Amino acid sequence: MNSYTEENYLKAIYKLVEQDGEAVSTNAIAEKMNTKAASVTDMLKKLSDKKFINYQKYQGVTLTAKGEKTALIIIRKHRLWEMFLVEKLNFKWDEVHDVAEQLEHINSDKLIEQIDKFLNFPKTDPHGDPIPDANGKLLTPKSKPLSAFNVSDNCLMMGVVDHSPSFLQYLDKMNITLGNEIKIKDIVEFDKSLQIIVNKKQTFFISNDVAKNILVKTK
Amino acid sequence: MNSYTEENYLKAIYKLVEQDGEAVSTNAIAEKMNTKAASVTDMLKKLSDKKFINYQKYQGVTLTAKGEKTALIIIRKHRLWEMFLVEKLNFKWDEVHDVAEQLEHINSDKLIEQIDKFLNFPKTDPHGDPIPDANGKLLTPKSKPLSAFNVSDNCLMMGVVDHSPSFLQYLDKMNITLGNEIKIKDIVEFDKSLQIIVNKKQTFFISNDVAKNILVKTK
DNA sequence: AAATAAATTTAGATTAGTCTAAAAATAATT
DNA sequence: AATTATTTTTAGACTAATCTAAATTTATTT
Ligand SMILES: [Mn+2]
Ligand SMILES: [Mn+2]
Ligand SMILES: [Mn+2]
Ligand SMILES: [Mn+2]
């Protein structure tokens, strides 16, 4: 099998490629992994030998089909565990990530398929992120940041961009949760901040920065 | 924190001390850990520096209070996870050990206390082994091997000594499960094999070796 | 097109955990 | 009590993952 470290590198590379849509740099990986570029270069050689990535010196890396599938299976495990923690063990959505970072490396096909079944085959995790299937296939939901919508648009809260506990706790305080209806009442010309109505009840002011990190679709 | 490897050494030492009731040897640890004596010596130095064990060259080792508590917390996690797998995820008692060997190293107090609550605070694991409490306190149940009982004794199945899948599967085939009533109908003089009646229904012949590995108490 | 800056790779060390082979200490036999 | 056998420790080496510092390559400026 692959080491805990190899799995984390694959996941980091997957997320960077997904985000940037092109070959990712040694430095970008180093930053994401909280390590040094020299360490990354060593690992890239190993992952390349194992056919997980396409790598040529100085040219950046992409994942091979094998590498992408491996990364997606780890992401599947991460998101299923997060869902389990929230649905069955009373964790809040801002508490699950660090534990899931450990649990995602547990190696047992039966375990993860039983967790999936136990949760009744959820499609998304507690943050609205889609859960890849057992073959590593992922359906990307077509949501966009709230900041891309206009006054009087009526939206459905689908997910978050920023996953940090502090952002998630801020949303809790505003009573903004997955599935909520968010209607844009006003957009301030000066700073693009928004006045929104959540579930036809509460009215809030949120900054454009916040709106950029809330994913919605038209209702 | 302590590494995965350190935790496994502590657990091995705990089990050997419990079994033999005295200081354990480097070789015994090496055998249990599937490693070499030289490697064990290195690790003993480290565990001693960290005050987990009492160690003097050539004299064998015992656990300090700190080491014992640490070992028992790991055993607590192992047994709670085994219980979770059986009770909630449809694992059989012969399938849980290897997965629990991984899960026992997950580091999250909230996780393990929520699992405990979710299972309604079980006292024993799927093999009848007692689950230490959150402080590492363990109540040893007073059961004895079936081989220590006599003809016409009526017993309650409490646990197993051997935890191997093959032994557990053999018990499944005989329909012998935790909580069953086992009455000794006859003991063969020649080889000490037993004729037993399980739950007042089925009669089986089992070898003395098997009887030594079934833990029971008088009903 | 040179010169300079930035990114990346290589070289050489370090740490945890492991190993083999040799040395030292303890235990068992004669 | 001396010899032999067993156990344990030490010495030195290896791998995975990491680091710093230096060398090399690529990108950006002048
Ligand atoms: Mn997460
Ligand atoms: Mn998530
Ligand atoms: Mn077990
Ligand atoms: Mn058990």
Side-chain angles (χ1 to χ4, degrees):
Chain A
M1 256 310 286
N2 316 307
S3 72
Y4 185 104
T5 310
E6 288 169 320
E7 292 193 348
N8 284 334
Y9 269 95
L10 287 177
K11 201 161 49 109
I13 295 166
Y14 175 85
K15 295 202 165 172
L16 290 168
V17 173
E18 186 191 41
Q19 191 179 92
D20 308 350
E22 53 188 12
V24 296
S25 70
T26 302
N27 267 352
I29 298 168
E31 192 178 0
K32 186 138 217 164
M33 294 290 297
N34 275 305
T35 183
K36 296 294 149 83
S39 310
V40 173
T41 301
D42 283 345
M43 182 56 79
L44 294 182
K45 283 178 194 157
K46 192 201 293 193
L47 293 175
S48 181
D49 287 348
K50 289 192 167 191
K51 312 286 184 205
F52 284 121
I53 60 173
N54 307 114
Y55 171 58
Q56 301 196 137
K57 276 204 237 179
Y58 298 102
Q59 302 314 136
V61 299
T62 54
L63 292 171
T64 61
K66 179 187 173 190
E68 182 166 310
K69 181 174 176 179
T70 306
L72 282 163
I73 294 294
I74 301 162
I75 291 168
R76 168 177 169 76
K77 293 196 281 180
H78 182 102
R79 293 180 180 168
L80 281 171
W81 277 116
E82 284 191 344
M83 202 59 178
F84 168 73
L85 294 173
V86 167
E87 293 291 306
K88 303 291 182 180
L89 300 190
N90 284 107
F91 278 64
K92 306 293 176 204
W93 68 343
D94 60 303
E95 297 175 317
V96 295
H97 182 76
D98 291 346
V99 187
E101 283 291 302
Q102 300 178 61
L103 287 163
E104 70 188 7
H105 302 291
I106 301 291
N107 178 24
S108 164
D109 289 344
K110 174 157 186 173
L111 175 60
I112 204 62
E113 297 323 320
Q114 288 296 125
I115 289 274
D116 193 24
K117 188 177 173 187
F118 191 48
L119 296 170
N120 211 17
F121 311 106
K123 293 277 170 296
T124 57
D125 83 358
H127 312 105
D129 296 310
I131 299 175
D133 72 18
N135 302 309
K137 291 281 169 256
L138 182 70
L139 306 182
T140 328
K142 41 210 152 309
S143 56
K144 284 189 299 185
L146 183 58
S147 54
F149 288 77
N150 303 305
V151 172
S152 85
D153 280 350
N154 206 5
C155 305
L156 207 58
M157 162 75 168
M158 296 290 288
V160 292
V161 178
D162 187 323
H163 285 63
S164 68
S166 66
F167 182 62
L168 299 175
Q169 285 160 20
Y170 166 80
L171 293 181
D172 280 343
K173 204 157 55 189
M174 298 281 120
N175 270 311
I176 301 173
T177 319
L178 292 187
N180 280 177
E181 177 188 305
I182 301 180
K183 181 160 189 174
I184 301 180
K185 195 175 176 189
D186 190 29
I187 300 179
V188 176
E189 176 76 36
F190 174 64
D191 64 354
K192 308 288 183 226
S193 67
L194 295 82
Q195 192 179 6
I196 59 175
I197 307 171
V198 177
N199 274 351
K200 297 193 172 91
K201 289 203 292 272
Q202 291 169 288
T203 302
F204 296 115
F205 288 90
I206 61 174
S207 70
N208 188 264
D209 263 3
V210 166
K212 275 186 202 152
N213 283 292
I214 297 176
L215 295 171
V216 299
K217 68 175 186 189
T218 348
K219 198 173 178 187
Chain B
M1 255 311 284
N2 316 307
S3 73
Y4 185 103
T5 311
E6 289 170 320
E7 293 194 346
N8 283 335
Y9 269 94
L10 287 177
K11 201 163 47 112
I13 295 167
Y14 175 85
K15 295 201 165 172
L16 289 168
V17 173
E18 185 191 40
Q19 190 179 92
D20 307 352
E22 54 188 11
V24 296
S25 70
T26 303
N27 267 353
I29 298 167
E31 192 178 358
K32 185 136 219 167
M33 295 289 297
N34 275 308
T35 183
K36 296 294 147 86
S39 310
V40 173
T41 300
D42 284 345
M43 182 56 80
L44 294 183
K45 282 178 194 158
K46 194 202 292 192
L47 293 175
S48 181
D49 288 347
K50 288 193 168 190
K51 311 287 184 206
F52 284 121
I53 60 173
N54 306 114
Y55 170 58
Q56 301 195 139
K57 277 205 236 179
Y58 299 102
Q59 302 314 137
V61 298
T62 55
L63 292 171
T64 61
K66 178 186 175 191
E68 181 166 310
K69 180 171 177 179
T70 306
L72 281 162
I73 295 294
I74 302 162
I75 290 168
R76 168 177 168 77
K77 293 196 280 181
H78 182 102
R79 292 181 180 167
L80 281 171
W81 277 115
E82 285 191 343
M83 202 60 178
F84 168 73
L85 295 173
V86 167
E87 292 292 307
K88 303 291 183 181
L89 299 190
N90 284 108
F91 278 63
K92 306 295 177 202
W93 69 343
D94 59 302
E95 297 176 317
V96 294
H97 182 75
D98 290 347
V99 186
E101 283 291 301
Q102 299 179 62
L103 287 163
E104 70 189 7
H105 302 290
I106 301 292
N107 177 24
S108 164
D109 288 343
K110 173 157 186 171
L111 174 60
I112 203 62
E113 298 322 320
Q114 288 295 125
I115 289 273
D116 192 24
K117 187 176 173 187
F118 191 48
L119 296 170
N120 210 16
F121 312 105
K123 293 277 170 296
T124 58
D125 83 358
H127 311 105
D129 295 310
I131 299 175
D133 72 18
N135 302 309
K137 292 281 168 255
L138 181 69
L139 306 181
T140 329
K142 39 210 154 311
S143 57
K144 284 188 299 185
L146 183 59
S147 54
F149 288 78
N150 303 305
V151 172
S152 85
D153 280 351
N154 205 5
C155 304
L156 206 60
M157 162 74 168
M158 297 289 288
V160 291
V161 179
D162 187 325
H163 285 63
S164 68
S166 66
F167 182 62
L168 299 174
Q169 285 160 19
Y170 165 80
L171 293 181
D172 280 343
K173 206 157 54 188
M174 298 281 119
N175 271 309
I176 301 174
T177 318
L178 291 189
N180 280 177
E181 178 190 303
I182 302 180
K183 181 160 189 172
I184 302 181
K185 195 176 176 189
D186 190 27
I187 300 178
V188 176
E189 176 76 38
F190 174 65
D191 64 353
K192 310 286 184 227
S193 68
L194 295 82
Q195 191 180 6
I196 60 174
I197 308 171
V198 177
N199 274 351
K200 298 195 172 88
K201 289 203 292 272
Q202 291 169 285
T203 301
F204 295 115
F205 289 90
I206 60 174
S207 71
N208 188 263
D209 263 5
V210 166
K212 276 187 202 152
N213 283 291
I214 297 178
L215 294 171
V216 298
K217 68 175 185 190
T218 350
K219 199 178 177 183

